[in-house]
């Protein structure tokens, strides 16, 4: 069994594939000039909007995985410390 269920690689893959359908939908809407993709506060449409939505997918996965990796591993550390204190008191 995996010792660390909150491995960075697992979180990155989950967030990347979880965000992929939404980014592709937004990219296709941008391709047909229905919704803009923003880069430096400028709306982008067409193929550039589709390309930006595809490029945002790994960036989104990286940022979300990093933030949640820190959050979950700190919580796991404190939980394990709490359990060890409870076991000592028994």
């Amino acid at each position: 069994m995996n010792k660390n269920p909150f491995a960075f690689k697992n979180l990155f893959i989950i967030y990347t594939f979880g965000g992929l359908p939404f980014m592709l939908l937004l990219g296709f809407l941008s391709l047909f000039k229905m919704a803009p993709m923003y880069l430096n506060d400028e709306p982008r449409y067409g193929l550039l909007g589709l390309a930006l939505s595809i490029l945002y997918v790994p960036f989104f996965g990286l940022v979300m995985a990093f933030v949640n990796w820190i959050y979950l591993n700190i919580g796991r550390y404190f939980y394990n410390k709490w359990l060890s204190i409870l076991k000592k008191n028994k």
Side-chain angles (χ1 to χ4, degrees):
M1 185 167 175
N2 190 1
K3 286 188 176 191
N4 185 1
F6 309 120
F8 184 80
K9 177 183 173 184
N10 295 343
L11 291 172
F12 175 71
I13 290 170
I14 288 168
Y15 279 112
T16 299
F17 284 104
L20 185 65
F22 301 107
M23 290 294 189
L24 287 177
L25 175 64
L26 185 58
F28 282 115
L29 290 175
S30 174
L31 183 64
F32 297 114
K33 297 185 179 183
M34 294 179 180
M37 287 296 298
Y38 286 94
L39 179 66
N40 294 332
D41 292 331
E42 293 182 24
R44 307 291 176 155
Y45 293 97
L47 287 176
L48 183 58
L50 178 63
L52 283 174
S53 72
I54 292 170
L55 290 175
Y56 283 170
V57 171
F59 178 71
F60 168 78
L62 187 68
V63 170
M64 291 299 292
F66 180 72
V67 169
N68 282 295
W69 179 78
I70 291 173
Y71 182 77
L72 292 170
N73 282 309
I74 288 173
R76 191 175 122 234
Y77 172 77
F78 286 127
Y79 178 72
N80 288 337
K81 288 296 179 183
W82 182 66
L83 280 181
S84 67
I85 291 170
L86 286 178
K87 287 180 183 178
K88 285 181 185 179
N89 289 338
K90 282 188 176 183

